[in-house]
Amino acid sequence: MKVSDQILNAETPPISYEIIPPKRGTNIESVFGIVEQLKPHEPPFIDVTSHAAEIYYEEMPDGTVRKHVKRTRPGTLGLCAAIQHRFGIPAVPHLLCQGFTREETEDALIELHYLGIRNVLALRGDDKGFRKPTNNNRSRNDYAEDLVRQIDNMNRGQFLEQLIDAQATDFCVGVAGYPEKHFESPNPTWDVLALKRKVDAGADYIVTQMFFDNRHYFDFVERCREVGITVPIVPGLKIITSKKHLTSLPAFFHLEIPEALAAEVEAADRKNVSAVGIEWARQQAQELLEGGAPALHFYIMQTAKHALQVVEPLRKMA
Ligand code: FAD
């Protein structure tokens, strides 16, 4: 079922999760273990992140430096197929502009369609130093909006080359939104207008970047509605489980950690930090649902246990 329909038709707000593929050469069983833990909680869907190739440099014994291009975490599509067919849970692969040609994206979408995967999250990705070459008449999507348009075209039976009697795909497309604005946007108004272009290009729903102060989400939803964005806006939640998160999350995701939360985390013993994070997320989740959020999305990445401690009491209340 399409994610947007699941959200719009649900009797109680659905709660979904986002996981990360294992590192190249690592066992998949740990990821299956996470999905096993989530399954009894009937997730409406599980997202799997995508990771573009990165450039790294290796110093050689003769003092020269060798440049490498490597994808550390491949396997998003295969993992989605496994989740959907082995566990019967709809899977949402993330698709990136960054690191892929449009031709590769079309092929990936054809694979997904054959696999029965009907939901994707369309993203630009961050610049990791590697720009996919576009020789031999290949082309590239620069922004998520371009990727959404490509998928929307396929949903109308328009492939990159003109194909006679081409069968239309029927993907439901999600995109990213930023309650604290995307770090490259010059201001919040610019940011929601860029988001509106993604929706106008064919996006069916929005999942937000994580935030720790619900005010950011509620203000963001208001700004989106003011510019005419009508699709569901799902808040993304992350649970702080280590003191390092106080600096790593703002550095990676360009967000604010409220003073009260930062102070509580700082004052806690190392082994009690996750209890602080869980309680904060529980209050955030409850307030978001009371404030009309249509669903919740937890960034759990490699462990389900903390999110499930937030979700279990919420499900009992529902
Ligand atoms: P876009 O919507 O393309 O916007 C990027 C920036 O460009 C914005 O500042 C926007 O204002 C600006 N912009 C847009 N169009 C134009 C234009 N025409 N001209 C000039 N400026 C423009 N990253 C990963 O690598 N893998 C993942 O799996 C992943 N999953 C994510 C899931 C969610 C829910 C979220 C919120 C983010 C995720 N990200 C992921 C991170 C994301 O790739 C980065 O935040 C990236 O920097 C922006 O992606 P976007 O799709 O929002 O980009």
Side-chain angles (χ1 to χ4, degrees):
M1 198 202 260
K2 294 190 169 188
V3 163
S4 53
D5 290 341
Q6 294 206 51
I7 297 169
L8 292 167
N9 299 334
E11 279 174 22
T12 53
I15 300 177
S16 56
Y17 304 90
E18 182 161 320
I19 61 175
I20 184 169
K23 279 195 175 156
R24 185 181 289 274
T26 328
N27 202 315
I28 190 73
E29 292 306 322
S30 62
V31 182
F32 288 160
I34 296 172
V35 182
E36 300 268 12
Q37 282 177 274
L38 296 175
K39 194 169 163 56
H41 300 271
E42 300 171 348
F45 57 91
I46 294 177
D47 276 46
V48 181
T49 59
S50 174
H51 301 265
E54 297 182 30
I55 288 191
Y56 71 97
Y57 295 90
E58 185 187 11
E59 192 172 351
M60 306 307 289
D62 66 0
T64 58
V65 173
R66 188 175 287 172
K67 182 177 172 183
H68 297 272
V69 177
K70 184 172 152 188
R71 271 189 94 190
T72 315
R73 293 179 188 272
T76 302
L77 306 194
L79 191 48
C80 283
I83 290 172
Q84 196 154 308
H85 293 288
R86 190 171 161 149
F87 297 94
I89 303 170
V92 184
H94 291 190
L95 293 181
L96 302 179
C97 305
Q98 184 71 32
F100 299 89
T101 64
R102 296 171 78 220
E103 290 72 16
E104 287 168 333
T105 298
E106 183 171 288
D107 291 352
L109 287 160
I110 291 170
E111 302 270 3
L112 291 170
H113 212 252
Y114 290 165
L115 287 164
I117 291 172
R118 294 290 184 269
N119 299 287
V120 293
L121 195 79
L123 300 145
R124 185 194 66 180
D126 284 320
D127 185 1
K128 301 278 173 67
F130 174 65
R131 265 179 92 67
K132 186 88 178 180
T134 49
N135 33 18
N136 300 323
N137 287 327
R138 305 235 124 190
S139 54
R140 198 166 42 211
N141 289 313
D142 289 323
Y143 294 102
E145 174 193 348
D146 307 319
L147 175 55
V148 174
R149 197 163 289 114
Q150 179 179 8
I151 304 167
D152 191 63
N153 283 342
M154 286 178 69
N155 282 347
R156 296 165 198 274
Q158 292 166 16
F159 289 66
L160 292 176
E161 89 181 90
Q162 211 175 356
L163 301 173
I164 296 164
D165 292 336
Q167 294 286 302
T169 56
D170 56 352
F171 287 106
C172 168
V173 186
V175 289
Y178 300 86
E180 296 176 67
K181 108 176 167 52
H182 185 262
F183 69 101
E184 292 167 29
S185 289
N187 57 62
T189 306
W190 165 293
D191 198 60
V192 289
L193 289 174
L195 179 56
K196 172 123 186 346
R197 289 201 301 275
K198 293 196 273 193
V199 175
D200 291 346
D204 300 291
Y205 70 101
I206 295 162
V207 182
T208 78
Q209 184 56 278
M210 62 187 75
F211 55 90
F212 294 92
D213 181 342
N214 288 346
R215 212 170 17 98
H216 291 304
Y217 171 80
F218 292 123
D219 291 351
F220 172 68
V221 172
E222 206 175 297
R223 283 199 301 283
C224 289
R225 301 305 181 218
E226 273 167 14
V227 299
I229 295 172
T230 57
V231 299
I233 303 175
V234 179
L237 292 174
K238 164 94 182 163
I239 300 167
I240 289 194
T241 55
S242 86
K243 292 196 183 220
K244 236 176 84 184
H245 280 154
L246 290 184
T247 48
S248 64
L249 296 178
F252 278 123
F253 301 110
H254 309 275
L255 48 81
E256 175 205 351
I257 299 195
E259 281 174 30
L261 174 57
E264 268 191 73
V265 169
E266 222 172 14
D269 279 345
R270 260 189 36 219
K271 57 181 187 331
N272 286 334
V273 170
S274 46
V276 172
I278 288 166
E279 179 52 23
W280 188 276
R282 195 194 59 71
Q283 287 183 25
Q284 257 197 291
Q286 197 172 334
E287 192 187 68
L288 286 164
L289 294 177
E290 284 164 7
L296 298 175
H297 184 74
F298 281 91
Y299 293 105
I300 64 169
M301 312 324 265
Q302 287 166 309
T303 172
K305 67 177 184 192
H306 304 114
L308 291 179
Q309 287 180 59
V310 175
V311 166
E312 268 162 17
L314 289 177
R315 277 169 51 94
K316 282 190 194 126
M317 278 164 47

